[in-house]
């Protein structure tokens, strides 16, 4: 068939590269993504979003598991609850060029459907890689103009989720394209939700996962979508103020896969604050015990817009406040785990008020592919500075397998012994093993 629209181009590339996405090198990255998702979703399962959803949606029955629970529900419900859980702790992974959290919606949708059809672990991992590729490409094309008002995890995440589910069914190009199109018309997620003291942000990831499951099911059942839903005169780009020609989504998949270029979060807070935190932690020994006159954080404009809360009140606001996070990092004791959401005392509040955020044109010019910051601290007439061009956890400064395992232990809340046992079992799981036999904690 002729490939004319963006969703058709994505579908054609996904089908052409199915074998590549099942190769050992890509499978390794998919396993890492799955492990990271599992840890943060287990930890987030006890949070309010997941618990509120379960309270409102149960009783229900079905084949798909809920993380941290013995409940089995319909795939669309499991995708919603697990997707929200994975985004609750602000620890889920990031695709920097797309300002996007791919794992929370994509893996939630893929696992929910994999449970239903009882496919193999290898097929699940392939679907995850394809879902990441599609979602990340769409997110990168949507870019900063979209992110100014929309949460890309809720928009591109729906297409990534639909791609993963469509791949599990070996969908052909028309069916795959229809799944993407239908997911696009179901997507959403407003920035205002997390620029205020609200608790609905994880719902963006959950709704994207659910939209992907439902859209792929509808397409498999024969429902068609508008093939030009992304680039059309009333399509997603125009509707969300996006300035794009969809070049990335239309391009051939001849580069390293997107799942190999993911940022794994090292801190439990907004990713825009990672580089400032890294810089502040490197300066803490120089300034500890002294009176700080001023802290200047130079970074990119989106970081200031999203995480520029000057005097946070709630835990949610502290996780989106560079001022608080830098101040907490400067006063952090190295013998203790860094707690981004620490309850501030009078000293920490006073220090937070001395933080000034500045948009640096050079750092801003490297955004969104690279996320950097420069922190300068004035103490007793001296000025100490640290420049971090790439935040920790990024492809340029990645977490190794040991650090990823340590994060899993902390994020999952399982306890060291149980978490280590689960990680060991997942590491040796054969690709041919049925998904339903996996004990996921």
């Amino acid at each position: 068939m002729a490939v004319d629209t963006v969703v058709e181009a994505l579908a054609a590339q996904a089908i052409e590269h199915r074998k590549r996405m099942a190769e050992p090198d890509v499978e390794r990255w998919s396993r890492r993504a799955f492990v990271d998702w599992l840890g943060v979703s287990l930890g987030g399962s006890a949070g309010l979003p997941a618990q509120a959803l379960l309270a409102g949606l149960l009783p229900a029955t079905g084949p798909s598991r809920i993380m941290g629970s013995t409940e089995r529900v319909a795939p669309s419900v499991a995708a919603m609850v697990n997707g929200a859980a994975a985004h609750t702790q602000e620890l889920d992974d990031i695709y920097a060029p797309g300002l996007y959290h791919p794992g929370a919606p994509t893996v939630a949708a893929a696992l929910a459907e994999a449970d239903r059809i009882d496919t193999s672990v290898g097929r699940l991992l392939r679907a995850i890689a394809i879902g990441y590729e599609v979602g990340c490409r769409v997110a990168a094309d949507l870019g900063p103009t979209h992110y100014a008002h929309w949460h890309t995890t809720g928009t591109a995440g729906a297409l990534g989720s639909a791609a993963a589910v469509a791949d599990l069914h070996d969908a052909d190009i028309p069916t795959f394209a229809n799944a993407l199109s239908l997911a696009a018309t179901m997507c959403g997620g407003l920035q205002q939700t997390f620029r205020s003291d609200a608790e609905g942000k994880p719902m963006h990831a959950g709704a994207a996962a659910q939209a992907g499951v439902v859209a792929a099911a509808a397409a498999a059942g024969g429902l068609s979508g508008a093939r030009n839903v992304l680039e059309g005169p009333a399509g997603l780009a125009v509707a969300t103020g996006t300035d794009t020609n969809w070049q990335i989504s239309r391009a051939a998949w001849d580069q390293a896969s997107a799942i190999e270029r993911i940022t794994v979060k090292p801190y439990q807070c907004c990713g825009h604050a990672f580089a400032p935190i890294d810089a502040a932690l490197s300066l803490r020994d120089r300034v500890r015990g002294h009176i700080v006159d001023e802290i200047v954080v130079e970074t990119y404009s989106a970081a200031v817009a999203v995480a520029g809360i000057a005097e946070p009140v709630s835990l949610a606001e502290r996780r989106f406040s560079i001022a608080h996070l830098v101040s907490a990092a400067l006063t952090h004791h190295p013998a203790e785990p860094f707690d981004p959401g620490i309850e501030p005392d009078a000293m920490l509040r006073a220090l937070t008020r001395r933080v000034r955020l500045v948009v640096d044109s050079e750092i801003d010019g490297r955004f969104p592919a690279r996320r950097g910051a420069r922190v300068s601290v004035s103490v007793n007439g001296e000025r100490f500075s640290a420049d971090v061009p790439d935040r920790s956890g990024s492809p340029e400064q990645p977490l190794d397998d040991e650090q990823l395992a340590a994060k899993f232990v902390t994020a999952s809340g399982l306890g060291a012994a149980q978490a280590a046992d689960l990680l060991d079992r997942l590491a040796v799981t054969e690709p041919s093993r049925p998904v339903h036999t996996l004990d996921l904690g």
Side-chain angles (χ1 to χ4, degrees):
M1 61 169 287
V3 176
D4 298 318
T5 68
V6 177
V7 295
E8 288 168 342
L10 287 164
Q13 288 291 322
I15 290 167
E16 180 182 344
H17 288 275
R18 276 177 175 153
K19 287 184 178 180
R20 173 186 157 200
M21 293 302 185
E23 291 175 353
D25 58 336
V26 179
E27 182 189 294
R28 174 180 175 269
W29 290 102
S30 294
R31 282 181 185 266
R32 280 176 56 93
F34 181 77
V35 165
D36 194 39
W37 177 89
L38 180 60
V40 300
S41 62
L42 285 169
S45 67
L48 180 58
Q51 292 301 308
L53 285 166
L54 289 174
L57 296 172
L58 294 181
T61 58
S64 303
R65 74 192 84 190
I66 297 291
M67 294 299 101
S69 170
T70 59
E71 297 287 345
R72 293 269 178 164
V73 297
S76 60
V77 176
M80 165 66 86
V81 176
N82 291 335
H87 199 51
T88 294
Q89 296 187 100
E90 293 296 340
L91 276 171
D92 48 323
D93 62 12
I94 301 168
Y95 183 64
L99 303 105
Y100 171 49
H101 298 276
T106 306
V107 182
L111 179 62
E113 186 64 8
D115 272 341
R116 185 180 79 83
I117 64 176
D118 195 22
T119 190
S120 68
V121 170
R123 287 293 304 280
L124 171 62
L125 295 175
R126 186 189 81 177
I128 289 170
I130 284 180
Y132 268 66
E133 193 71 32
V134 169
C136 289
R137 284 171 178 266
V138 170
D141 271 329
L142 290 172
T145 56
H146 177 84
Y147 188 74
H149 299 101
W150 294 87
H151 190 194
T152 316
T153 301
T155 51
L159 282 86
S161 299
V165 177
D167 181 68
L168 284 171
H169 290 275
D170 286 325
D172 58 16
I173 292 175
T175 304
F176 204 119
N178 282 330
L180 298 182
S181 176
L182 293 168
T185 205
M186 296 169 67
C187 73
L190 298 173
Q191 284 262 344
Q192 194 61 45
T193 298
F194 55 92
R195 295 195 188 190
S196 61
D197 186 17
E199 297 166 325
K201 182 172 182 273
M203 293 285 288
H204 296 167
Q210 184 178 60
V213 170
V214 173
L223 193 65
S224 64
R227 295 293 176 82
N228 63 345
V229 70
L230 298 181
E231 72 273 26
L236 185 65
V238 172
T240 60
T242 303
D243 181 17
T244 182
N245 59 9
W246 298 104
Q247 180 179 356
I248 299 169
S249 295
R250 288 185 179 276
W253 294 13
D254 54 4
Q255 304 295 323
S257 59
I259 204 165
E260 300 175 45
R261 304 192 304 277
I262 297 300
T263 294
V264 177
K265 275 192 166 188
Y267 309 122
Q268 192 174 358
C269 58
C270 176
H272 293 308
F274 289 179
I277 292 171
D278 291 338
L281 288 173
S282 73
L283 294 172
R284 64 188 171 190
D285 291 339
R286 292 187 176 186
V287 304
R288 184 179 288 112
H290 298 283
I291 296 175
V292 173
D293 300 316
E294 184 184 43
I295 304 165
V296 177
V297 179
E298 299 170 86
T299 187
Y300 50 91
S301 55
V304 176
V306 176
I309 299 173
E311 296 191 37
V313 176
S314 66
L315 174 60
E317 289 185 344
R318 290 195 293 276
R319 288 177 173 171
F320 278 81
S321 170
I322 291 173
H324 164 80
L325 293 163
V326 165
S327 300
L330 285 172
T331 57
H332 169 64
H333 195 286
E336 302 170 356
F338 176 57
D339 180 8
I342 186 172
E343 183 76 40
D345 55 18
M347 183 184 73
L348 186 52
R349 288 193 188 92
L351 190 60
T352 299
R353 295 189 188 104
R354 295 178 190 141
V355 176
R356 181 163 58 91
L357 304 185
V358 176
V359 175
D360 178 271
S361 59
E362 183 179 350
I363 297 173
D364 202 34
R366 296 196 298 262
F367 177 82
R370 299 178 68 179
R371 316 289 183 90
R374 185 180 305 109
V375 174
S376 302
V377 183
S378 299
V379 177
N380 297 333
E382 290 189 85
R383 187 179 179 87
F384 303 102
S385 295
D387 195 336
V388 176
D390 297 294
R391 58 188 178 179
S392 57
S394 68
E396 294 78 17
Q397 299 289 337
L399 302 190
D400 59 27
D401 289 346
E402 185 176 336
Q403 291 170 313
L404 180 63
K407 175 187 173 180
F408 183 89
V409 172
T410 302
S412 67
L414 293 177
Q418 186 179 355
D421 178 64
L422 178 53
L423 283 174
D424 288 343
R425 286 187 280 110
L426 289 174
V428 298
T429 298
E430 290 294 326
S432 60
R433 183 173 176 175
V435 167
H436 85 272
T437 65
L438 290 181
D439 177 3
L440 299 179

